[in-house]
């Protein structure tokens, strides 16, 4: 299948700053990869499909670097809570998830992501009820059905209340059980090929729900298997206070001590870092998933995105779980990231193009896939979003990137993942959205009734 997209504005995001842009250019897709990109018409050649994208902007598909898809079935709880208050309210609800509820939530969440330009999604799943069936497999199946790439981070918690942790004892695993389940997930699903649709990461949940042993052994397991490491870190000042009281060091220092800094690691949030911590993350190439909407909803603080990027740390965007971001779309996070940075450091601290950069190549770097996805360059995977800027919402905005990031999220003319259409004319190709909504409503109600 050879697809020729023509007459479009194109933001390739192929450089350290904004990257090369074209005002009326073409992208040629051959099979699952990008064959050519440039100004003007495509050079002659056979095309199975031609897309006249006049009035559209083509960007790389967005990369979501942190999510908890199962939380789509638990939106709207703890709507005025701090992180710890919110977790204490939600843990007993999450204890009721099973593979059917998780699948319905993941289909809904991934559909929302695709509808907002996302072609690769990282998911962090750390709740494994004993009678819940195969909740991890249910998420992988959902991604295959929706058609987006999944980086499934196999989470875990082994420190319940009786061992000084925050979660109730009935939703934590044993240390050995968590490690065995994680190793099994890697062996069963991880695909290291450039076109991989599913990769696995090793992902104990957070310092306040996981033992030191599990953190250390998880790092050993990931490095033994050649997969990446992920966890929540430095999200709130409550977490920092608890860490100082318990370990006598900050969360970043604890991560360093446990072997958790390196270019194979990315942290969710990474808000409360000192200058020394930012420098250390940068020099080790440790990544950060910036989740501005979730941070706003929980009042957690402002991540030091610009400082981290300048220090050398890969930074991408994440929506976080839908229980702390009911919108669940990735498109709005570009604007949120820019506005958060400006509220914190003034209007010169971030541009619309910085938002696009974080959502694309920045995210690809967090996931270790900058050679495969995240920019529009020949040889890379054909993960493309074709945005319609020809409606009233964007009329008169001359700069297409400013229209995309600062304006209303545009309809998608087309979303391709590895050359396969997932969204056409702003409608899902792969799943029936009405059916997905019915399944999600049923799952949410059943979960609420289980409490
Ligand atoms: Zn999270």
């Amino acid at each position: 299948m050879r697809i020729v997209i023509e007459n479009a504005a194109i933001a390739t995001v192929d450089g350290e700053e904004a990257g090369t842009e074209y005002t009326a250019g073409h992208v040629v897709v051959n099979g699952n990869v990008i064959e050519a990109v440039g100004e003007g018409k495509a050079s002659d050649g056979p095309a199975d499909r031609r897309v006249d994208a006049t009035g559209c902007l083509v960007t790389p598909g967005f990369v979501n670097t942190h999510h908890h898809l199962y939380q789509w079935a638990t939106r709207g709880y703890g709507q005025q809570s701090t992180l710890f208050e919110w977790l204490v309210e939600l843990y007993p609800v999450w204890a009721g998830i099973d593979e059917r509820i998780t699948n319905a939530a993941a289909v809904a969440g991934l559909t929302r992501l695709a509808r907002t330009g996302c072609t690769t999604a990282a998911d962090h799943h750390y709740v494994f009820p004993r009678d819940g069936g195969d909740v991890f497999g249910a998420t992988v199946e959902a991604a295959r059905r929706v058609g987006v790439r999944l980086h499934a981070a196999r989470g875990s918690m082994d420190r319940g209340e009786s061992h000084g942790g925050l979660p109730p004892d009935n939703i934590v695993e044993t240390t050995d059980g968590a490690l065995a389940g994680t190793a099994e997930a890697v062996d069963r699903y991880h695909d290291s090929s450039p076109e991989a649709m599913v990769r696995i990461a090793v992902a104990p949940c957070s310092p306040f729900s996981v033992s030191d042993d599990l953190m250390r052994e998880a790092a050993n397991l990931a490095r033994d298997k050649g997969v990446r490491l992920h966890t929540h870190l430095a999200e709130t000042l409550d977490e920092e206070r608890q860490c100082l009281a318990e370990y006598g060091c900050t969360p970043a220092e604890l991560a360093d001590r446990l072997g958790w800094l390196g270019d194979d690691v990315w942290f969710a949030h990474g808000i409360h870092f000192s200058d020394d911590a930012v420098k250390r993350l940068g020099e080790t190439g440790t990544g950060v998933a910036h989740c501005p909407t979730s941070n706003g909803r929980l009042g957690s603080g402002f991540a030091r995105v610009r400082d981290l990027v300048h220090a050398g740390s890969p930074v991408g965007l994440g929506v976080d779980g839908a229980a702390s971001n009911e919108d669940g779309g990735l498109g709005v996070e570009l604007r949120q990231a820019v506005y958060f940075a400006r509220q914190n450091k003034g209007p010169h601290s971030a541009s619309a193009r910085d938002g696009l950069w974080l959502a694309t190549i920045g995210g690809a770097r967090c996931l270790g896939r900058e050679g495969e996805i995240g920019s529009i360059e020949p040889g890379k995977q054909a993960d493309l979003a074709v945005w319609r800027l020809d409606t009233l919402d964007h009329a008169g905005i001359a700069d297409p990137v400013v229209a995309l990031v600062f304006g209303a999220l545009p309809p998608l003319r087309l979303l391709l993942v590895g050359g396969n259409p997932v969204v056409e004319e702003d409608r899902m190709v792969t799943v029936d959205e009405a059916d997905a909504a019915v399944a999600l409503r049923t799952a949410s109600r059943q979960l609420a009734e289980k409490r």
Side-chain angles (χ1 to χ4, degrees):
M1 186 82 175
R2 193 163 179 273
I3 304 172
V4 176
I5 301 166
E6 290 179 306
N7 307 320
I10 301 167
T12 65
V13 202
D14 64 355
E16 278 309 308
E17 298 293 328
T20 312
E21 296 182 10
Y22 303 104
T23 54
H26 63 270
V27 184
V28 180
V29 172
N30 199 342
N32 60 352
V33 298
I34 296 164
E35 180 183 298
V37 57
E39 190 65 65
K41 295 275 185 191
S43 55
D44 282 346
D48 300 292
R49 180 174 177 190
R50 274 186 193 275
V51 178
D52 178 359
T54 303
C56 296
L57 169 67
V58 185
T59 67
F62 296 163
V63 179
N64 181 47
T65 57
H66 183 67
H67 209 316
H68 312 285
L69 288 164
Y70 74 90
Q71 290 182 11
W72 265 81
T74 62
R75 292 189 293 166
Y77 290 79
Q79 56 85 28
Q80 205 168 3
S81 304
T82 67
L83 173 68
F84 282 7
E85 292 163 353
W86 174 88
L87 283 168
V88 166
E89 178 171 344
L90 277 158
Y91 284 137
V93 186
W94 295 339
I97 66 168
D98 59 26
E99 60 186 29
R100 197 184 41 74
I101 289 169
T102 302
N103 184 257
V107 168
L110 290 163
T111 295
R112 176 70 179 147
L113 285 174
R115 291 287 308 278
T116 56
C118 176
T119 50
T120 298
D123 183 59
H124 188 184
H125 191 104
Y126 54 85
V127 180
F128 295 89
R130 281 176 201 102
D131 55 356
D134 184 8
V135 291
F136 194 78
T139 304
V140 175
E141 193 283 328
R144 286 182 174 150
R145 197 177 340 153
V146 175
V148 301
R149 298 183 200 280
L150 179 71
H151 280 236
R154 204 296 188 179
S156 47
M157 302 191 290
D158 70 340
R159 196 153 72 102
E161 279 169 332
S162 63
H163 290 86
L166 195 66
D169 287 347
N170 68 346
I171 61 164
V172 304
E173 298 177 280
T174 62
T175 309
D176 288 345
L179 288 164
T182 306
E184 188 195 325
V186 176
D187 293 342
R188 189 166 160 200
Y189 294 116
H190 185 71
D191 177 359
S192 56
S193 70
E195 65 273 17
M197 292 299 289
V198 178
R199 286 196 186 162
I200 304 300
V202 174
C205 187
S206 60
F208 50 83
S209 59
V210 170
S211 69
D212 288 10
D213 281 351
L214 180 51
M215 289 296 280
R216 278 201 193 86
E217 289 304 317
N220 290 337
L221 172 67
R223 283 158 186 155
D224 182 46
K225 299 271 187 195
V227 300
R228 298 177 82 75
L229 280 165
H230 183 51
T231 192
H232 294 95
L233 200 81
E235 182 173 356
T236 64
L237 289 172
D238 286 339
E239 174 194 336
E240 182 170 286
R241 278 189 282 273
Q242 182 175 329
C243 196
L244 284 166
E246 198 170 347
Y247 297 100
C249 65
T250 65
E253 288 163 348
L254 180 65
D256 207 350
R257 198 189 285 177
L258 295 171
W260 267 75
L261 295 186
D263 62 6
D264 57 350
V265 182
W266 88 105
F267 297 130
H269 305 297
I271 296 171
H272 300 285
F273 285 142
S274 66
D275 290 347
D276 284 347
V278 169
K279 186 160 169 276
R280 186 86 181 104
L281 261 75
E283 67 196 14
T284 55
T286 309
V288 170
H290 175 40
C291 306
T293 295
S294 173
N295 299 159
R297 188 191 189 281
L298 295 169
S300 303
F302 297 101
R304 299 175 61 179
V305 173
R306 188 183 169 91
D307 295 341
L308 285 162
V309 171
H310 283 179
S313 178
V315 181
L317 297 182
V319 303
D320 205 359
S324 62
N325 176 359
E326 278 76 359
D327 180 278
L330 191 50
V332 73
E333 298 301 324
L334 283 67
R335 181 165 69 234
Q336 293 277 60
V338 174
Y339 287 2
F340 260 53
R342 290 181 177 187
Q343 284 285 27
N344 197 23
K345 297 278 183 184
H348 300 295
S349 61
S351 69
R353 284 171 174 76
D354 291 336
L356 180 61
W357 192 95
L358 292 169
T360 54
I361 194 69
R365 286 183 182 178
C366 268
L367 303 184
R369 296 194 79 167
E370 64 272 28
E372 301 156 8
I373 59 172
S375 63
I376 304 177
E377 296 179 79
K380 279 197 166 182
Q381 293 293 303
D383 293 5
L384 301 170
V386 183
W387 303 95
R388 281 190 59 190
L389 298 177
D390 57 351
T391 66
L392 177 62
D393 283 345
H394 304 92
I397 304 177
D399 182 330
V401 176
V402 169
L404 171 69
V405 177
F406 291 176
L409 191 69
L412 277 167
R413 173 85 191 275
L414 183 65
L415 185 79
L416 296 177
V417 181
N420 293 313
V422 173
V423 181
E424 292 262 15
E425 301 299 347
D426 218 33
R427 294 179 69 86
M428 291 298 290
V429 176
T430 50
V431 299
D432 184 305
E433 290 182 56
D435 289 350
V438 170
L440 177 68
R441 207 172 290 122
T442 304
S444 300
R445 192 183 61 243
Q446 289 176 344
L447 198 47
E449 286 168 357
K450 277 189 184 181
R451 284 173 92 186

